[in-house]
Amino acid sequence: ASAQSFKMYASNSGYDRGVNTFSPEGRLFQVEYAIKAIQLGSTAIAVKTSEGVVMAVEKRVTSTLMEASSVEKVMEVDTHIGAAMSGLIADARTLVDHARIEAQNHRFTYNEPIRTEALAQATCDLMLSFGESGDEKKMSRPFGVALLLCGVDDTGPKVFFCDPSGTYVEYKAKAIGSGSEGAQTALTEEYSDSLTLAEAELLAVKTLKSVMEEKLNDNNIEVARVTADGYHNIKDEELKDLVDRIPI
């Protein structure tokens, strides 16, 4: 493995030093490394249905003395949009704060809730700001985080995947993080357009369970849903019931 990684760095020969330097093959290595950082993060899954969107995220509770409730991986951006994240959570907070301000500005200016896609675009604009120089320097490196922005707007339920390259893509179901490959395969096999919200909750948590190293319980996952009624965090008894419904 070390020989392989040496070969990888040798082939870069200095082109990975700066965030704005293309290699002769046309690659931006710093951005690629940031995308690699997400594969170390905990797994996050979003599933879209006609009724709304479900988000489920693994929480890495590393000690029995740790307060699991203090680990927050799903956040409310606006009353109709939530974000699930994987990677460096400190970076995610910066992005979510920015997204919240964008959403409020939109409401204030246009007197309507922002569309999920418009918010994904605004967030990805900030993700690209590492390339800008000058007084307004926001970030000297790419953000080491990927987001699943999930919302219900006038165009219906939406799931957008945003990555450190500033790219956003719409998905019906998407998994990010360390278990994303196995989870995405499972979602591809089991997803159907006719899923109900309850079935999607089950699918998301069941898929998360299949890729988690720890035994899944209501302490080490976080689940939220966004419907026409708005964002709702599933916790306490409701989360216990959901975990109990998962086939063993």
Side-chain angles (χ1 to χ4, degrees), residues 196-213:
T196 65
L197 199 63
E199 287 169 341
E201 284 171 8
L202 213 54
L203 172 63
V205 178
K206 188 175 74 177
T207 307
L208 199 55
K209 181 184 181 179
S210 68
V211 296
M212 273 172 67
E213 287 163 23

Side-chain angles (χ1 to χ4, degrees), residues 51-64:
E51 300 167 39
V53 186
V54 179
M55 294 171 278
V57 187
E58 170 194 0
K59 287 207 259 194
R60 289 195 182 139
V61 183
T62 49
S63 160
T64 50

Side-chain angles (χ1 to χ4, degrees), residues 17-21 30 94 125-143:
R17 292 277 176 267
V19 285
N20 290 328
T21 311
Q30 284 297 315
T94 309
D125 285 348
L126 179 63
M127 276 180 152
L128 271 181
S129 66
F130 65 83
E132 297 163 15
S133 57
D135 304 333
E136 280 296 299
K137 193 95 167 101
K138 297 185 183 77
M139 192 73 149
S140 56
R141 57 169 175 78
F143 284 86

